[in-house]
Amino acid sequence: MDREIKATQPVMPEMEKYIDEIRSIWDTKILTNNGEKTDKLKKMLADYTRCRNLDLFVNGHTALMIGIQAMELEGEVITSPFTFVSTTNAIVQSGLTPVFGDIDESYNLSPESIEQLVTDKTCAIVTPHIFGIPCDVERIEQIAGKYGLKVIYDGAQAFGTKIKGKSISGFGDITMFSLHAIKVFNSIEGGILFYQEEGLHKKLEQYRNFGITYGELESDVDLVGMNGKMNEFQAAMGIVNLPGLDEEIRKRKRLAELYCECLKDSPGNQAYPYREDIDYNYAYFPVKVTEEYGMTRDELWMKLKEKGIGTRKLYDKLTCDFRCYKDRGYVRQTGYADQVKKMALDLPMYGGLNEDKVTYICEVLKMLSQ
């Protein structure tokens, strides 16, 4: 292979399709504030997921923070430390105290860890579907029901994933999705909140528009909001990308199957054991680099880099260990997460990656282990 293999690559539509979609913006002169493009994208997303209650935001982090604040929570939130820092930031920025649970073999927050950490101060569970792999939503929501907790899923990486044919957007009180450029489905930047309680819509609209309430004679500000609206150019990218999502997932699934087949006899490279009752979006392809491999994950990452193969060490530092959080005295139960952070390596995964390159990556992995 004479060209660098990137770790990830954005999904982009044909340029002409995007230009055709944005052309009408010059007619309407509406660039933001719930224009025709955001309205069109909302309807398309509702049809795709079969979930009717949703709102669009400028990015996933803003959406998650607004979703948490709209629930009017107080106290402690049980969460996973094995995630992008946005999850923890949104909790803390909302005035809540994170309690860091452990993860299980799915890389997600362990239900057993959740139940061990519940106290009379616990108000919610806020946790990601990491790598697009869903949490054990059934057990988590049983625990939430038992203790009267809200459940907010950070589904930043999970759009398009289904459990037993049901969109992952239909679980929990709220589920957030990021539409960032490198997600399986993107709108350049963007975020979605799906929610169960239809009455949340008005509050979410206020939060994303500075907290303003509009009246016939005068307007007022009822809550401390922000500018979190998706603009029309973002929505247009979502509109032209959504029809191609299933094909993108199909391509990724084939690559994941090829990885699994090639690595099944490769000691020290543990691929995730995909389940038949889940339709994954294959946003990432994580492996665990164990002692059997003969070198550490960090050493392998460097060797692959030298050979022009881009990989990512996700997540080599738990969020509770970042400088801004590590000295705050937060409760943590992170024994297995502390092990996995040293092992997890994300191999290249995107629809534009061809099968020959996946085969080559696997050959290199096998060769380096000898």
Side-chain angles (χ1 to χ4, degrees), residues 1 18 28 43 55 67 70 75 84 96 109 126 159 164 194 196 199 208 216 264 266 268 271 285 318 321 323 361 368:
M1 291 287 170
Y18 183 64
T28 65
K43 291 175 181 175
D55 284 298
F84 185 57
L96 300 166
L109 186 61
V126 178
F159 191 83
K164 297 177 181 178
F194 285 89
Q196 303 302 321
R208 72 178 182 182
E216 290 186 15
K264 68 180 181 181
S266 176
F285 190 84
L318 304 182
D321 290 328
R323 281 193 295 268
I361 292 165
L368 289 173

Side-chain angles (χ1 to χ4, degrees), residues 1 8 25 33-34 38 55 75 81 84 87 91 93 107 117 132 162 183 232 236 240 253 255 297-298 323 330 356 359:
M1 291 287 170
T8 187
I25 296 175
N33 282 320
N34 302 319
T38 50
D55 284 298
F84 185 57
T87 313
I91 292 168
Q93 288 169 327
Y107 299 99
L117 292 168
K162 298 175 184 177
K183 297 298 186 283
E232 292 291 273
V240 293
K253 180 180 181 181
L255 296 176
R297 186 274 315 276
D298 289 357
R323 281 193 295 268
Y330 293 139
D356 288 343
T359 301

Side-chain angles (χ1 to χ4, degrees), residues 32 38 41 56-58 179 187 190-191 228-232 234-235:
T32 186
T38 50
L41 180 57
L56 301 175
F57 300 82
V58 65
L179 305 185
S187 62
K229 302 180 294 295
M230 177 180 280
N231 67 58
E232 292 291 273
Q234 290 175 290

Side-chain angles (χ1 to χ4, degrees), residues 129 131-134 154-162 168 177 183 281 283:
H129 298 299
F131 301 141
I133 297 168
D154 177 348
Q157 302 169 352
F159 191 83
T161 295
K162 298 175 184 177
I168 197 102
F177 295 105
K183 297 298 186 283
N281 70 351

